[in-house]
Amino acid sequence: MTLPPETLNGIESRLQAVDSELARLYPGDRPGQPIHTAYVSGADASVDTPREWGSAALELAEKQRELLVALAGEDVVARVFETLRERPIQDLRFDFEDGYGTRGDEIEDAAALNAGAVLKALPAEVRSRGIRTKGLTTLEWARAIRTLEKVLEGAGGVPEGFVFTVPKIRHLEQADLTVRVCEAIEAAHGLPAGSLRFELQIESPQAIIAADGSSPVSQLIQRSAGRCTGLHYGTYDYSAALGIAPKFQSLEHPVADHAKAVMQAAAATTGVWVCDGSTQVLPIGTDEEVRAAVSRHFRLVTRSLERGYYQGWDMGAGHLVTRWLATFAFFREGLGVAAPRIGRYLDRQGGAVMDEPATAQALATVVLRGLECGAFDPADVTAIAPKATVDVLHQLRERKIPAL
């Protein structure tokens, strides 16, 4: 017995439509995510910021080298020192919202023009760069748009790797309006269509659960017309909105875990990156306070990485030390687990764990993230799994059968 052809054809047609829709909505993960976003007030925008932060971070690392070695080992610490000297900041955002405040239009115009010129002149080691505007709210929307235009004017166009962050997202209409603003600015200033990209800062409970009980985050992504590159968690605004006492507001509070898990599920395989929030505790003060802050940030970054949040905010140069330290330590440890399994998978060998293509994809993705951030080199991978070249790892990530 078989089903009639018209029934089979109908099923096939509907499944093809489903596959096409899923491919459109979920095109896959996007490589190249930076490990952090460094936030600097728009009033302090300078082309020297990466060098100055790197120098300050090196000074702290030297003073706390013994502690750093205890946390992650000498090999990791040596790699961190090299990174802080050569490329301390991967992603830089000049802040015109909370970190800038209200200073009057003339002053902010001048700061925005300067920030634009700086963004264009930043060294290539800063792979992505941009600004955080004020929010698209009744009181601030005009200033937000004006600042964005002034930054682009100062840069003479859209700088390489440019993105702007939109804070205070609470409603789906704000995503629609952000797209409209991008289109209008591109048309008015003769910029290439689609050249403006943005991140949405999730710092309000209404972005996680709407009044009708739905979760708007996924719709925010889909209504961004392919321009949304990231979801950034706002630690303190979100916690405060839920009535969490200041003493207990942190990246590891249960409300933070819930919000980020929703963001993570909404962004999965859309190509939109999820970025963890910040900690307000900086490594300054007495030696005991500095050591406590260093250990705390190392633990928080490691915790985020373990939960699949590969990017987070850094609010000061001191955070760079433990950001790179925890990130390198995490991926180097991950290499020791992933590379042997990839090697067995490529050799079709058995073992205590039998991996499937989806698992091989996940293993390859972890190794490639480690390579991309500089935690180790390709030779470190092939020393464990000789067939796991960078090209083969990319094929595994794309769930292709490697050409060995």
Side-chain angles (χ1 to χ4, degrees), residues 90-105:
Q90 278 196 327
D91 185 23
L92 181 58
R93 206 72 74 248
F94 293 131
D95 185 19
F96 285 91
E97 200 220 3
D98 289 346
Y100 183 84
T102 302
R103 307 186 184 211
D105 286 339

Side-chain angles (χ1 to χ4, degrees), residues 109 112-114 116-117 146-158 189 191:
D109 284 350
L113 287 167
N114 174 66
R146 180 166 172 165
T147 295
L148 178 57
E149 288 189 285
K150 288 294 182 181
V151 166
L152 296 172
E153 179 184 342
V158 182
H189 297 277
L191 302 174

Side-chain angles (χ1 to χ4, degrees), residues 25-200:
L25 296 174
Y26 303 101
D29 294 327
R30 181 164 53 102
Q33 183 174 12
I35 70 163
H36 69 161
T37 299
Y39 266 78
V40 179
S41 171
D44 300 324
S46 169
V47 72
D48 293 325
T49 295
R51 179 186 57 79
E52 292 171 350
W53 275 44
S55 296
L58 281 168
E59 183 178 352
L60 173 65
E62 192 61 60
K63 290 180 180 178
Q64 298 297 327
R65 186 175 192 124
E66 182 179 346
L67 173 59
L68 303 183
V69 171
L71 289 171
E74 184 62 53
D75 289 346
V76 175
V77 170
R79 191 169 285 259
V80 168
F81 270 81
E82 179 184 357
T83 302
L84 292 176
R85 283 192 292 267
E86 297 181 358
R87 49 184 184 91
I89 293 178
Q90 278 196 327
D91 185 23
L92 181 58
R93 206 72 74 248
F94 293 131
D95 185 19
F96 285 91
E97 200 220 3
D98 289 346
Y100 183 84
T102 302
R103 307 186 184 211
D105 286 339
E106 184 176 344
I107 294 175
E108 186 160 340
D109 284 350
L113 287 167
N114 174 66
V118 169
L119 289 170
K120 182 179 181 180
L122 285 171
E125 288 76 19
V126 183
R127 297 187 342 206
S128 53
R129 71 280 305 268
I131 65 168
R132 179 169 70 169
T133 66
K134 291 177 170 60
L136 292 181
T137 64
T138 303
L139 297 176
E140 296 185 325
W141 69 270
R143 182 64 257 183
I145 294 174
R146 180 166 172 165
T147 295
L148 178 57
E149 288 189 285
K150 288 294 182 181
V151 166
L152 296 172
E153 179 184 342
V158 182
E160 185 71 23
F162 180 80
V163 63
F164 67 98
T165 308
V166 185
K168 304 296 187 289
I169 294 296
R170 300 181 66 196
H171 196 280
L172 294 175
E173 187 74 7
Q174 290 172 300
D176 298 339
L177 289 171
T178 304
V179 172
R180 177 71 186 105
V181 166
C182 289
E183 293 172 342
I185 290 177
E186 288 167 354
H189 297 277
L191 302 174
S195 58
L196 288 177
R197 303 294 183 92
F198 56 82
E199 303 155 335
L200 299 176

Side-chain angles (χ1 to χ4, degrees), residues 79 332 335 339 371 375-385:
R79 191 169 285 259
R332 287 173 73 87
L335 176 65
L371 285 168
F376 43 78
D377 303 314
D380 297 320
V381 183
T382 53
I384 303 172

Side-chain angles (χ1 to χ4, degrees), residues 35 68 70-73 76 80 251-252 257 260 264 276-277 279 293-314 319-334:
I35 70 163
L68 303 183
L71 289 171
V76 175
V80 168
L251 299 177
E252 53 188 343
D257 285 339
K260 290 180 288 189
Q264 189 177 43
D276 206 348
T279 175
V294 167
S295 298
R296 182 179 188 273
H297 192 242
F298 178 85
R299 178 178 59 78
L300 287 173
V301 174
T302 301
R303 184 183 189 274
S304 295
L305 290 166
E306 290 170 349
R307 284 154 179 76
Y309 310 126
Y310 297 107
Q311 181 181 359
W313 291 13
D314 287 331
H319 284 160
L320 295 183
V321 178
T322 34
R323 175 70 60 185
W324 287 108
L325 187 76
T327 300
F328 286 169
F330 175 83
F331 284 113
R332 287 173 73 87
E333 182 179 354

